[in-house]
Amino acid sequence: MWQRAVVYAALLAGGTLALQWLDYQRLARAHSGAAYVLLIAVAFLALGVFLGANAFGSPGRRAFDGNPKAEGALGISPRELQVLHGIAAGRSNKEIAASLEVAPNTVKTPVARLFDKLGAKRRTQAISRARELGIVP
Amino acid sequence: MWQRAVVYAALLAGGTLALQWLDYQRLARAHSGAAYVLLIAVAFLALGVFLGANAFGSPGRRAFDGNPKAEGALGISPRELQVLHGIAAGRSNKEIAASLEVAPNTVKTPVARLFDKLGAKRRTQAISRARELGIVP
DNA sequence: ACGCCAATCACCCGAACGGGTGATTTGAGG
DNA sequence: CCTCAAATCACCCGTTCGGGTGATTGGCGT
């Protein structure tokens, strides 16, 4: 995205300089200079708006892909992540176990380990922590 | 915010035109015109970036103000909302009761009513539903 | 006046959870 | 080979939660 914007900027700047050079003789006459400068200003304003919106805007529109850094730092395993998403979706251990096709007792182990890793005492706190860390949306 | 940007734009445009007019004589000489045009272009590019970022960017930076429509439609009372925020923050009934300065038994009533209104069977599900509805961030 | 609703609170009891014990299996790495 | 960690699972037992019962009070609308 930044590469594309840089290309656009280079093209526009290059075009501007080229026109400047070719029209240098005309620029010295009448009032055409003021209109020309305004045209440049408007063009660059539009480019700036485009760049600003794309560079700084709409982070929410990107697909959520978790926070692999935090997951790695906390040592969250793939299974723990699966269980965490089940918890955050509002499901009980029993329901999570059913969807993972394991016994309910089995779910309790990654749950307990998630609590340790997230510093949580209960499910709701684990969700809250995971959201702060960007691990769940 | 838009008003401020418009003021900035008007000032910059006005300043540009004033300089244009005052320097019209100088513009007809040497290469100073190319440098001048580039200066204008850069200034408007910066303004554009600023406008773009603020107009289209960072929706997350706005203060979260809930979803009063959904709250009203579901009939969620101010107390219930307080309790919901406590739940979403990962707190136990006991902790929520302490912060609201009521008995733990008292918290259970709005909790139960939130579950009814959100169609939830447990706290985690209530959080999930409330987030879907935009009631909690 | 009455009815409704929210808020407060107590209590009963079952379910789910969560901390703890333990066991086994598997796979990766040294 | 050994060690370690993850995953699987069972069980014990205490805590929290949640559905239910009930009561009282206060505010608002009819």
Side-chain angles (χ1 to χ4, degrees), chain A residues 20 24 29-30 33-34 41 44-45 47-49 52-53 56-57 87-92 95 122-125 127-128 131 137, chain B residues 20 24 29-30 33-34 41 44-45 47-49 52-53 56-58 87-92 95 122 124-125 127-128 131 137:
Chain A
Q20 171 74 3
Y24 180 60
R29 286 180 269 175
F44 271 81
L45 183 67
L47 176 64
V49 167
F56 301 107
I87 291 171
R91 296 209 280 269
S92 66
E95 288 170 350
R122 64 189 71 87
R123 302 165 92 77
T124 52
Q125 198 177 21
I127 296 169
S128 182
R131 290 195 62 251
Chain B
Q20 171 74 4
Y24 179 62
R29 287 178 265 174
F44 272 81
L45 183 66
L47 177 64
V49 167
F56 300 107
S58 312
I87 291 172
R91 295 211 281 271
S92 66
E95 288 170 349
R122 64 189 70 89
T124 52
Q125 197 176 21
I127 295 169
S128 182
R131 289 196 63 250

Side-chain angles (χ1 to χ4, degrees), chain A residues 1-66:
Chain A
M1 184 197 70
W2 267 110
Q3 296 151 338
R4 198 168 52 173
V6 167
V7 168
Y8 285 174
L11 285 178
L12 194 58
T16 303
L17 285 177
L19 284 173
Q20 171 74 3
W21 183 253
L22 288 175
D23 287 342
Y24 180 60
Q25 299 284 2
R26 240 172 59 198
L27 195 60
R29 286 180 269 175
H31 296 305
S32 63
Y36 188 65
V37 168
L38 275 181
L39 181 67
I40 296 293
V42 167
F44 271 81
L45 183 67
L47 176 64
V49 167
F50 171 79
L51 286 179
N54 282 281
F56 301 107
S58 312
R61 264 192 241 148
R62 290 185 210 142
F64 183 87
D65 60 346

Side-chain angles (χ1 to χ4, degrees), chain B residues 68-91:
Chain B
K69 259 196 181 175
E71 286 161 32
L74 293 170
I76 289 179
S77 71
R79 196 56 146 179
E80 285 161 8
L81 196 57
Q82 278 178 316
V83 168
L84 181 57
H85 280 114
I87 291 172
R91 295 211 281 271

Side-chain angles (χ1 to χ4, degrees), chain B residues 5 17 42 61 109:
Chain B
L17 286 178
V42 167
R61 266 194 236 141
T109 310

Side-chain angles (χ1 to χ4, degrees), chain A residues 57-96:
Chain A
S58 312
R61 264 192 241 148
R62 290 185 210 142
F64 183 87
D65 60 346
N67 185 354
K69 258 194 180 176
E71 287 162 31
L74 293 171
I76 290 177
S77 71
R79 196 58 145 180
E80 285 162 7
L81 197 57
Q82 278 178 317
V83 168
L84 180 57
H85 280 114
I87 291 171
R91 296 209 280 269
S92 66
N93 283 350
K94 206 163 158 188
E95 288 170 350
I96 295 167

